[in-house]
Amino acid sequence: MTATQSIGRTAPLPAEKKSEHPLAVVWQTGLVAALIVLPLIYTLVPPLEDYPNHLARTFALSSLPGNAFLSRFYETEWAAIPNLIMDLVVPLLTPLFGIYAAGRTFIGMTLLLMLLGPMLLQRALYGRWSAWPLVGGLFVYNGFLFVGLMNYLFGVGLAVFGLAAWIALSGRNTLLKAFVSLVFCAALYVCHLSALGLYGLGLASFEAWRLWTQKSWRPSALIGRALVLALPFLPFLYLLVKSPTWGLSHDFDWQSQGKLEAVTMMVSVYSDLTDIPFLVLLAAAVYFGVHRKLVRIHPAGVVVAIVLSAAFLAMPRLAFGSWMADQRLVIGIFFMTLGFISVDLRKLEHNHAFFVICLVAVAFRVVDVSVNWAAISQPLMELRSAVRSMAPGSRLLVAQADETDQGRVIEAALAHAPNLAVIERSALVSRLFVVPGKQILHARPGFREHVDTEDGDTPTVSRILTASDEPEPGGAHYWDNWPENYDYLIVLGTNPDESANPDPDQLRLVHNGRAFQLYRIRKPAP
């Protein structure tokens, strides 16, 4: 009995006895993979909202030992935090490629993990290779990527790989399966707690289906399966309880609205004018496949989809200090469920037509992303050029204009772009991610009071100007007494034609850019 048969798979249909040619699947996969990483080749800093912040933090981590400025501002406090994969991988790549190429390499690895995971899952389930899961290439660029959920998305691809390995090892050595699961649990814990949860729910759902189909209710068998399933997770539950992240367990907020928005984020890119026709064509293709009886889903996939969807509906919006805890699960549901869906391409009269259509659709998606990235990157690159005029080792305060009309896409691209000053000028930036319990990079004592350690919102320029005279009531803020504690101020969301200097006595304009202004702070006379 093969491993595929041992998971309870029904007998193959006659048309499925012969697999698609493996070499054809290989070159088809290579073409799609090359397409989806293409925008990363000619974009220095992909305009993903949180990404510049993550990139700057990894640069600081890799540069602390030999950078006098950064080692003055920051320090590393290692802990078993479930949000570290980019902090571990990018510093290793930086000496080889430089920080910007290392960051893009990490993004490329993330996209390829999401693309290839469903293919391996389908191979483990059906015992054959198929080009069908390449349709996932249409969704590797999604709203969650544009938000910049880098560690989690890397974990999504890895979780699907882990489920594929679990299924492939079904019916084999139990200790080997438990050990492999332990390895994946370790990697996923490092990625993100939500990715580890996705993997755990996928495994539990599959084993529940397998148990039901095999009707093995003996207590010894049930206990054995439960131990093999649960034991690999227990060390990481212990690590979580002992980690600083456990201190964020009280950060909990459940919201009923926004669940549907998560589905929209997965399928949308930048414009309804391109997204809607794309979705209409996709719906027509699904209808055609079902009508021609080309599409079917493995019964275990139905169980997995139901369990994951129930978890999505039950999950809070904020958990362990992580926002979008429920919404981000949607992208994991899609890529994990995709591997359970089988499409018999050999029933088509021209079976290569599917791949041609898929390739054209992915190319259309990539062109859409590339065109928008080219436009969005212009103000981002202008901001990078502006901060390069700062003196090395400066301290930069980030503020938001009181009113902005630059559009959501530009605002999102620039929201964390000032952190590029960490890379370009070894600067202290007030909005760099250095939150205890979430990151291992912390500000040193003496500077910790001047950075955001609570992952709050960017203060408006009016609040900052008010605090130059006396602190706001209700407690201290990191921007209090800013003329003495910072060297530069950058204001995001400004209009270059209308925004005037908000305080000429204390600020000297350095650069008036598109959607931002950089000021040198005039120091009070001694």
Side-chain angles (χ1 to χ4, degrees):
M1 179 178 290
T2 66
T4 303
Q5 291 170 329
S6 69
I7 66 173
R9 179 190 168 215
T10 56
L13 296 174
E16 292 183 321
K17 289 182 179 177
K18 185 178 179 182
S19 175
E20 296 171 51
H21 198 288
L23 289 179
V25 175
V26 168
W27 70 260
Q28 290 167 353
T29 303
L31 281 176
V32 174
L35 266 179
I36 65 173
V37 301
L38 193 59
L40 301 174
I41 296 175
Y42 46 76
T43 306
L44 183 67
V45 184
L48 313 175
E49 187 168 351
D50 287 356
Y51 172 71
N53 208 322
H54 293 308
L55 189 69
R57 188 183 67 253
T58 58
F59 176 80
L61 288 169
S62 65
S63 304
L64 283 181
N67 189 310
F69 293 122
L70 289 178
S71 60
R72 173 175 170 245
F73 297 140
Y74 299 107
E75 62 184 358
T76 304
E77 295 185 17
W78 287 98
I81 294 172
N83 190 25
L84 291 178
I85 190 65
M86 189 171 179
D87 291 358
L88 296 176
V89 172
V90 174
L92 295 177
L93 299 175
T94 299
L96 302 175
F97 307 119
I99 183 61
Y100 291 112
R104 300 199 306 277
T105 300
F106 181 84
I107 297 174
M109 293 167 61
T110 301
L111 300 181
L112 293 178
L113 279 173
M114 289 192 288
L115 177 72
L116 299 177
M119 298 190 72
L120 292 180
L121 178 55
Q122 181 155 116
R123 176 67 175 83
L125 278 166
Y126 295 101
R128 59 182 174 82
W129 294 106
S130 174
W132 149 251
L134 292 176
V135 298
L138 300 173
F139 298 97
V140 295
Y141 287 102
N142 54 74
F144 300 99
L145 178 70
F146 299 151
V147 170
L149 304 181
M150 307 311 307
N151 290 338
Y152 171 70
L153 292 176
F154 191 97
V156 166
L158 206 58
V160 181
F161 269 74
L163 180 57
W166 177 273
I167 294 172
L169 293 173
S170 294
R172 299 190 181 184
N173 186 286
T174 301
L175 291 178
L176 175 62
K177 185 165 69 169
F179 174 75
V180 171
S181 183
L182 178 68
V183 172
F184 274 102
C185 284
L188 289 165
Y189 180 88
V190 171
C191 289
H192 200 278
L193 199 59
S194 296
L196 180 61
L198 175 71
Y199 172 67
L201 288 174
L203 260 59
S205 304
F206 179 82
E207 284 301 307
W209 167 84
R210 188 165 173 252
L211 184 66
W212 179 261
T213 57
Q214 294 183 351
K215 307 295 183 183
S216 179
W217 309 117
R218 289 182 296 108
S220 59
L222 292 176
I223 293 173
R225 288 190 176 192
L227 289 175
V228 173
L229 182 67
L231 285 178
F233 290 85
L234 294 183
F236 306 100
L237 177 60
Y238 175 81
L239 283 179
L240 175 63
V241 172
K242 294 297 183 180
S243 76
T245 305
W246 190 253
L248 303 173
S249 59
H250 63 279
D251 289 349
F252 177 92
D253 182 27
W254 192 90
Q255 296 183 10
S256 58
Q257 292 185 329
K259 304 285 186 181
L260 185 59
E261 178 187 355
V263 179
T264 305
M265 286 183 66
M266 195 202 77
V267 299
S268 63
V269 181
Y270 286 107
S271 171
D272 290 346
L273 296 177
T274 57
D275 290 340
I276 292 176
F278 168 75
L279 293 175
V280 169
L281 290 175
L282 185 63
V286 171
Y287 172 79
F288 173 79
V290 173
H291 180 71
R292 293 285 300 272
K293 297 182 180 180
L294 304 175
V295 180
R296 67 188 182 101
I297 182 169
H298 195 285
V302 176
V303 178
V304 171
I306 291 174
V307 171
L308 291 179
S309 298
F312 162 64
L313 294 175
M315 280 283 289
R317 185 63 40 84
L318 178 71
F320 285 95
S322 181
W323 189 245
M324 299 175 66
D326 59 339
Q327 293 176 319
R328 70 180 66 199
L329 192 56
V330 167
I331 197 70
I333 295 172
F334 172 79
F335 280 102
M336 189 164 280
T337 305
L338 180 62
F340 287 93
I341 299 173
S342 173
V343 176
D344 189 3
L345 301 180
R346 292 171 308 284
K347 286 185 177 180
L348 293 172
E349 289 80 0
H350 304 284
N351 53 28
H352 290 297
F354 164 81
F355 173 70
V356 173
I357 295 172
C358 178
L359 192 67
V360 170
V362 171
F364 179 78
R365 201 72 156 173
V366 167
V367 169
D368 189 20
V369 169
S370 300
V371 170
N372 281 278
W373 279 16
I376 299 168
S377 293
Q378 292 178 8
L380 195 156
M381 288 297 98
E382 184 182 3
L383 188 149
R384 172 177 174 263
S385 177
V387 299
R388 296 177 78 174
S389 65
M390 294 167 46
S394 299
R395 298 162 296 172
L396 176 64
L397 176 61
V398 183
Q400 183 74 31
D402 294 316
E403 295 182 3
T404 177
D405 59 354
Q406 297 300 318
R408 170 61 188 156
V409 174
I410 297 296
E411 288 182 27
L414 295 185
H416 296 279
N419 290 288
L420 295 178
V422 174
I423 299 173
E424 300 296 339
R425 306 309 285 165
S426 300
L428 175 82
V429 182
S430 63
R431 291 284 287 140
L432 186 68
F433 289 150
V434 289
V435 180
K438 291 186 178 182
Q439 284 89 33
I440 57 173
L441 182 70
H442 294 171
R444 286 188 178 276
F447 299 99
R448 194 167 298 173
E449 300 80 10
H450 307 147
V451 299
D452 181 11
T453 58
E454 298 181 357
D455 202 9
D457 295 328
T458 304
T460 61
V461 68
S462 61
R463 292 186 68 187
I464 286 177
L465 294 179
T466 301
S468 66
D469 298 324
E470 58 183 38
E472 293 183 30
H477 301 88
Y478 65 83
W479 59 83
D480 291 340
N481 200 24
W482 59 268
E484 294 184 9
N485 296 328
Y486 299 94
D487 304 304
Y488 292 87
L489 169 69
I490 191 166
V491 183
L492 302 175
T494 60
N495 187 323
D497 299 324
E498 299 178 5
S499 299
N501 189 331
D503 191 346
D505 293 336
Q506 299 189 91
L507 300 172
R508 178 177 63 84
L509 182 65
V510 175
H511 188 95
N512 183 22
R514 179 184 174 187
F516 75 92
Q517 289 178 330
L518 178 65
Y519 294 94
R520 177 76 192 236
I521 298 174
R522 303 180 190 272
K523 295 298 179 182

